[in-house]
Amino acid sequence: MPESHERMALTEAVFYILLTLKKPLHGYGIMQKVSEMSGDSVQLGSGTLYGAINTLLNKGWIKIHRQEGTSRKKKEYIITDEGLHIAHQELRRLQHLTTLGEDILGGKDND
């Protein structure tokens, strides 16, 4: 599913990546943090991760925080102000869906 500024839903992987980058992390650190945050339900492969990182860099939602030498593996990334805005928009969208679902289905007590 594509991500854009026009109220499109973020993929689960992209949302997790943005959340992990409130603090600078390198690629492997992002994979570990996403796994930890999701209770191991989301496991990012390196192809998925670096494809998403390139997309997020191009959109200006994340930026390179620090880079050691010329090694691609030694880059640390951090979320930008625009990325924070997008993550907050997605959070509000998800909260709205949750509230709507609870209103219609009656919440957890009506399982």
Side-chain angles (χ1 to χ4, degrees):
M1 182 180 300
E3 289 81 26
S4 76
H5 299 278
E6 293 87 32
R7 305 280 303 150
M8 298 288 288
L10 300 181
T11 64
E12 186 176 25
V14 165
F15 190 57
Y16 272 115
I17 291 168
L18 290 175
L19 293 178
T20 64
L21 292 177
K22 285 274 291 187
K23 294 181 180 177
L25 281 175
H26 52 75
Y28 185 68
I30 295 170
M31 289 192 299
Q32 289 180 312
K33 188 71 175 173
V34 167
S35 178
E36 175 189 322
M37 289 172 60
S38 70
D40 293 328
S41 68
V42 177
Q43 301 287 327
L44 296 176
S46 59
T48 299
L49 174 67
Y50 287 104
I53 284 174
N54 286 331
T55 299
L56 296 173
L57 286 168
N58 288 334
K59 289 183 175 187
W61 296 0
I62 65 171
K63 64 183 179 183
I64 295 173
H65 177 71
R66 185 174 54 178
Q67 181 173 0
E68 293 179 25
T70 58
S71 174
R72 163 181 134 164
K73 294 180 181 178
K74 299 292 182 181
K75 291 179 185 172
E76 285 186 339
Y77 305 93
I78 192 164
I79 195 168
T80 64
D81 288 342
E82 185 174 359
L84 277 173
H85 175 73
I86 295 296
H88 281 284
Q89 274 187 325
E90 180 67 359
L91 179 61
R92 285 191 297 275
R93 187 189 72 79
L94 293 170
Q95 288 171 331
H96 172 74
L97 285 175
T98 300
T99 299
L100 182 64
E102 288 174 349
D103 288 348
I104 292 172
L105 299 174
K108 294 178 183 175
D109 295 335
N110 291 332
D111 288 340

